[in-house]
Amino acid sequence: MTPTRTDSLKDSNTGLQNRDRDRDRIFITGLKTQAVIGVFDWEKQFKQPLIWDLQLSTNLSRAAQTDALEDTVNYKAICDEIIQLTEASRYDLIEALAEHICQHIFAEHSGVTHIQLTLHKPNAITEADSVGLILERTRPQPEKFIN
């Protein structure tokens, strides 16, 4: 029997096509935190609200099969970590804080392969509902050693 194109793309453990494995995402929307953040002196006097939206790419097929928390990315743990890190931080720029959070997620959650993070700073500009940024980061691939 000759293998078909579909057979060659299937993942041996789950039957999912390889190109589809990292299309699975866990999302967090509207996570509210407080931080001392900003470049102006008045911003450094009190905590300001920040609102986080994240999409975390990961392979959810094993968790779907086992129904076990240890086989997925624990969004409760990530929310708790973002709150703790944000509230303990002191950055001038939201760019630096957002990058710190992305690197923390990669370091602590090995199943996350890609992050899309939106960070809102709602009180930064009086005339705007919110300002902020969107970062996208992909987990760095391990270096391959060539002998």
Side-chain angles (χ1 to χ4, degrees):
M1 185 166 138
T2 306
T4 65
R5 182 177 176 278
T6 304
D7 290 337
S8 66
L9 293 174
K10 286 185 180 178
D11 179 282
S12 61
N13 294 325
T14 65
L16 291 177
Q17 294 182 356
N18 285 329
R19 69 177 188 269
D20 291 336
R21 289 186 308 180
D22 290 333
R23 290 188 184 174
D24 298 341
R25 288 185 294 282
I26 290 176
F27 68 89
I28 300 165
T29 304
L31 180 65
K32 295 167 182 61
T33 63
Q34 299 280 320
V36 175
I37 191 160
V39 295
F40 301 110
D41 288 339
W42 64 266
E43 293 179 295
K44 297 177 185 199
Q45 302 302 315
F46 58 91
K47 289 187 175 187
Q48 300 178 64
L50 298 174
I51 302 169
W52 303 80
D53 300 326
L54 294 96
Q55 287 197 27
L56 309 167
S57 296
T58 188
N59 185 343
L60 298 173
S61 59
R62 182 159 174 79
Q65 292 173 355
T66 64
D67 197 27
L69 182 60
E70 60 271 8
D71 290 331
T72 191
V73 174
N74 185 335
Y75 53 80
K76 170 71 165 109
I78 290 177
C79 289
D80 290 345
E81 292 162 10
I82 291 171
I83 292 167
Q84 178 186 11
L85 291 168
T86 300
E87 292 187 356
S89 71
R90 292 184 78 89
Y91 286 97
D92 286 346
L93 301 177
I94 59 174
E95 292 85 344
L97 175 58
E99 183 67 31
H100 177 76
I101 294 297
C102 286
Q103 295 311 313
H104 172 84
I105 291 170
F106 284 141
E108 297 299 320
H109 301 276
S110 62
V112 176
T113 58
H114 183 84
I115 300 168
Q116 180 180 0
L117 180 154
T118 303
L119 179 53
H120 305 264
K121 190 175 177 187
N123 294 345
I125 305 293
T126 306
E127 296 80 13
D129 290 338
S130 188
V131 298
L133 58 79
I134 299 171
L135 288 185
E136 291 205 38
R137 298 291 182 264
T138 300
R139 176 181 293 283
Q141 296 297 317
E143 290 185 33
K144 295 181 181 179
F145 295 100
I146 301 172
N147 291 334

